[in-house]
């Protein structure tokens, strides 16, 4: 079984912008400090989600892990039943001294292990059909980010810049900050509109 590498999520959020990105935003004028703050925060959120998505285990690895956990749960259930009599008596006494009911405590634990094993095996079965299918990296995170940053710039400049140019500028800013998988400047507006339609949000 392949070792399940923990998925990376949370922790330090990298919301740093490159000097080139901040210079480009400053040239838009107005309260550019607020715009820099808004864009840097959103990029930080994106980086955190992208890191989690990029470190998500393959489906096959997850299936193996679920199946192994199911076997462990069932094995623990059986091992509790097979406690030697002298050890079993000491376990009961320890639970009683702690103010618990040994019979109920062990019974509930074993029932929980049976349910857990059944759930784990059920989920593994649901995922099994997908474990050998080739994956394709989703661009949803990038298109969501592009749409939101374009909206921030639209709010900032009003009608001073056309929306096609704004979308291209948003894509350029994000690429400068290390975001990959974005459309070119000439296709950025189409990507923004497509994402907003997907969310049933008016593009205008």
């Amino acid at each position: 079984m392949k070792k399940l590498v923990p998925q990376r999520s949370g922790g330090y959020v990298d919301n740093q912008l490159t000097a080139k990105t901040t210079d480009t935003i400053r040239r838009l004028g107005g309260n550019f400090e607020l715009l820099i703050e808004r864009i840097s925060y959103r990029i930080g959120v994106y980086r955190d989600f992208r890191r989690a998505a990029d470190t998500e285990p393959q489906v096959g690895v997850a299936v193996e892990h679920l199946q192994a956990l199911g076997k462990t749960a069932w094995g623990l259930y059986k091992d509790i039943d097979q406690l030697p009599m002298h050890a079993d008596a000491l376990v009961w006494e320890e639970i009683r001294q702690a103010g618990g009911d040994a019979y109920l405590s062990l019974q509930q634990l074993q029932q929980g292990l049976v349910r857990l094993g059944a759930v784990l095996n059920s989920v593994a079965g649901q995922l099994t059909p997908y474990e050998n299918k080739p994956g394709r990296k989703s661009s949803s995170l990038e298109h969501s980010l592009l749409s939101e940053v374009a909206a921030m710039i639209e709010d900032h400049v009003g009608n001073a810049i056309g929306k096609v140019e704004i979308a291209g500028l948003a894509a350029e800013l994000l690429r400068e900050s290390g975001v990959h998988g974005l459309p070119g400047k000439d296709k950025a507006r189409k990507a923004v509109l497509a994402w907003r339609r997907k969310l049933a949000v008016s593009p205008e």
Side-chain angles (χ1 to χ4, degrees):
M1 182 181 74
K2 292 183 179 179
K3 183 178 180 181
L4 186 67
V5 179
Q7 186 175 7
R8 296 178 60 191
S9 180
Y12 170 71
V13 176
D14 178 12
N15 60 358
Q16 298 297 309
L17 302 179
T18 64
K20 186 176 181 181
T21 300
T22 54
D23 286 344
T24 301
I25 296 173
R26 284 192 183 97
R27 287 197 293 272
L28 295 175
N31 187 3
F32 60 80
E33 292 93 348
L34 177 60
L35 184 58
I36 289 174
E37 181 180 341
R38 293 179 67 195
I39 291 177
S40 65
Y41 172 80
R42 184 58 183 84
I43 288 179
V45 171
Y46 160 79
R47 286 171 177 158
D48 192 42
F49 275 100
R50 174 44 67 196
R51 180 176 61 180
D54 288 346
T55 56
E56 184 177 12
Q58 294 179 339
V59 175
V61 176
V63 168
E64 289 184 7
H65 190 70
L66 287 163
Q67 291 171 337
L69 284 176
K71 290 179 180 178
T72 299
W74 177 243
L76 182 55
Y77 168 86
K78 292 192 295 183
D79 288 344
I80 291 173
D81 263 352
Q82 294 171 2
L83 275 172
M85 290 182 64
H86 63 282
D88 188 58
L90 290 172
V91 169
W92 278 59
E93 181 61 21
E94 287 282 343
I95 295 175
R96 188 190 64 79
Q97 290 182 7
D101 184 313
Y103 175 76
L104 285 178
S105 297
L106 291 175
Q107 185 183 52
Q108 289 171 353
L109 173 59
Q110 287 183 292
Q111 288 175 346
L113 288 169
V114 171
R115 286 194 295 269
L116 176 61
V119 168
L120 292 169
N121 287 325
S122 174
V123 174
Q126 294 173 43
L127 292 177
T128 297
Y130 304 100
E131 62 180 326
N132 294 320
K133 291 187 176 181
R136 189 169 71 104
K137 186 175 179 180
S138 172
S139 59
S140 294
L141 290 175
E142 286 72 29
H143 287 188
S144 171
L145 176 65
L146 175 62
S147 175
E148 291 187 36
V149 170
M152 292 175 189
I153 297 174
E154 288 174 20
D155 291 341
H156 182 78
V157 302
N159 296 322
I161 303 176
K163 293 185 178 181
V164 173
E165 185 179 351
I166 287 174
L169 177 60
E172 180 183 349
L173 289 174
L174 293 174
R175 272 192 292 273
E176 289 173 356
S177 296
V179 179
H180 304 289
L182 293 169
K185 292 180 66 174
D186 56 329
K187 296 182 179 179
R189 179 61 180 169
K190 289 182 179 179
V192 168
L193 292 175
W195 180 256
R196 293 178 184 177
R197 282 194 296 270
K198 183 176 181 180
L199 297 181
V201 176
S202 173
E204 298 300 328

